[in-house]
Amino acid sequence: MGRVTSRTPVLRIRGPQHTTRPDTVAAEEPLEIRLNGTPLAVTMRTPGDDFDLVHGFLATEGVIHGSDDVAGLRYCDSVDADGRNTYNVVDVDLAPGVPIPDTGLERNFYTSSSCGVCGKASIDAIRTKTSYDVAGDRVRLPLEVLLALPDRLRAAQQVFDKTGGLHAAGLFTAAGELLALREDVGRHNAVDKVVGDGVREGRLPLAAHVLMVSGRASFELTQKAAMAGIPVLAAVSAPSSLAVELAREVGITLVGFLRGDGCNVYTHTERIQLAPEN
């Protein structure tokens, strides 16, 4: 398995003090996903929880709908110059009857750690593609629980403490219980890893749950939440215009700038239970 972090020498400048010292940085390596031996996608990710990542990616792309759609998966023999397995290629055997997607119809399945689903901008396509009634989810989220999520997410980020360079995604209950947390150089990978954990545990759809992310709320993260049946997406930073439009269309409560004692709720505000005013 590839390393989550690596060490590199840096020139450290702090005012008048200049020192050379080793520093820890987040690892970033390619992961190629194959279906029945045929290349499907390449994503730049932080090694670790790769099988969760693959399950989540396939689920949020609509290739699979649950763990039963996967007959098996394994690391292929991709080797480096020294003949060691890089663990950077995963081959998935789909269950009988599960169709292999035609990647040429929609987009190239290459994603970078910052890109996600670049080139896929059809809100109508996502709204009709998801199998779950997100809009019908009647979960209610107390405001005090919502405001506590960033600190709970941050407290669980072990690799971030070492590198300062990883995104995080956490799946919470409406009571604020953290069920799964994953870190990655790519925000969309972190979400796929969380969703993939739910797929492998047979918990999809992730109804009545909150997806909390450490960065911004982009279109691709909103799409992934919709495909997993998650009714509330909360982000520390800002949403994009397409994220707001998609959330409104599919029925997701989209929260941005969630920090301290405040936030902005952009769509489906009825799910947030405000404290009674004095």
Side-chain angles (χ1 to χ4, degrees):
M1 178 66 66
R3 294 177 296 173
V4 177
T5 62
S6 64
R7 300 283 283 176
T8 186
V10 299
L11 173 63
R12 188 174 187 266
I13 301 173
R14 297 294 185 272
Q17 295 184 339
H18 305 165
T19 58
T20 300
R21 52 172 287 184
D23 193 24
T24 301
V25 296
E28 182 176 27
E29 296 182 11
L31 178 69
E32 179 180 322
I33 301 172
R34 299 177 182 175
L35 293 183
N36 300 337
T38 301
L40 173 72
V42 176
T43 185
M44 300 301 297
R45 98 302 189 192
T46 299
D49 301 303
D50 286 337
F51 287 178
D52 284 346
L53 171 58
V54 172
H55 277 83
F57 176 83
L58 295 178
T60 58
E61 290 295 336
V63 178
I64 64 173
H65 299 285
S67 58
D68 291 342
D69 289 341
V70 176
L73 72 167
R74 72 199 67 81
Y75 285 107
C76 296
D77 294 328
S78 58
V79 296
D80 60 18
D82 298 322
R84 295 172 298 190
N85 196 327
T86 64
Y87 296 98
N88 284 341
V89 180
V90 173
D91 196 5
V92 181
D93 295 325
L94 296 179
V98 179
I100 296 178
D102 183 353
T103 59
L105 291 179
E106 295 185 12
R107 63 179 176 90
N108 188 310
F109 273 89
Y110 175 82
T111 62
S112 74
S113 58
S114 61
C115 174
V117 293
C118 293
K120 180 189 244 181
S122 172
I123 290 177
D124 287 340
I126 300 300
R127 179 168 52 82
T128 58
K129 194 174 181 181
T130 181
S131 302
Y132 308 121
D133 181 18
V134 181
D137 196 311
R138 301 180 65 84
V139 66
R140 295 296 181 266
L141 183 65
L143 178 61
E144 62 270 21
V145 171
L146 177 64
L147 295 176
L149 296 186
D151 287 342
R152 293 181 181 178
L153 184 76
R154 179 66 182 83
Q157 288 185 253
Q158 297 180 358
V159 183
F160 182 89
D161 287 336
K162 300 176 182 178
T163 66
L166 289 180
H167 292 284
L171 185 71
F172 292 86
T173 68
E177 177 187 0
L178 177 62
L179 299 180
L181 179 136
R182 298 292 187 270
E183 295 178 278
D184 201 279
V185 288
R187 59 175 59 88
H188 60 286
N189 287 335
V191 170
D192 277 341
K193 288 178 178 181
V194 166
V195 172
D197 174 75
V199 174
R200 298 179 72 189
E201 295 296 324
R203 291 191 277 115
L204 259 62
L206 296 172
H209 287 79
V210 182
L211 178 63
M212 176 76 210
V213 296
S214 60
R216 63 186 177 88
S218 60
F219 173 83
E220 63 264 28
L221 298 195
T222 310
Q223 173 236 346
K224 291 178 182 298
M227 294 297 291
I230 300 173
V232 182
L233 171 60
V236 172
S237 191
S240 68
S241 61
L242 275 179
V244 174
E245 290 180 41
L246 178 58
R248 184 179 296 115
E249 283 287 330
V250 300
I252 288 176
T253 297
L254 181 61
V255 181
F257 296 105
L258 179 57
R259 58 188 74 161
D261 62 354
C263 62
N264 292 345
V265 184
Y266 293 85
T267 59
H268 299 279
T269 61
E270 69 278 358
R271 289 199 179 103
I272 307 302
Q273 292 182 329
L274 304 178
E277 296 183 1
N278 294 328

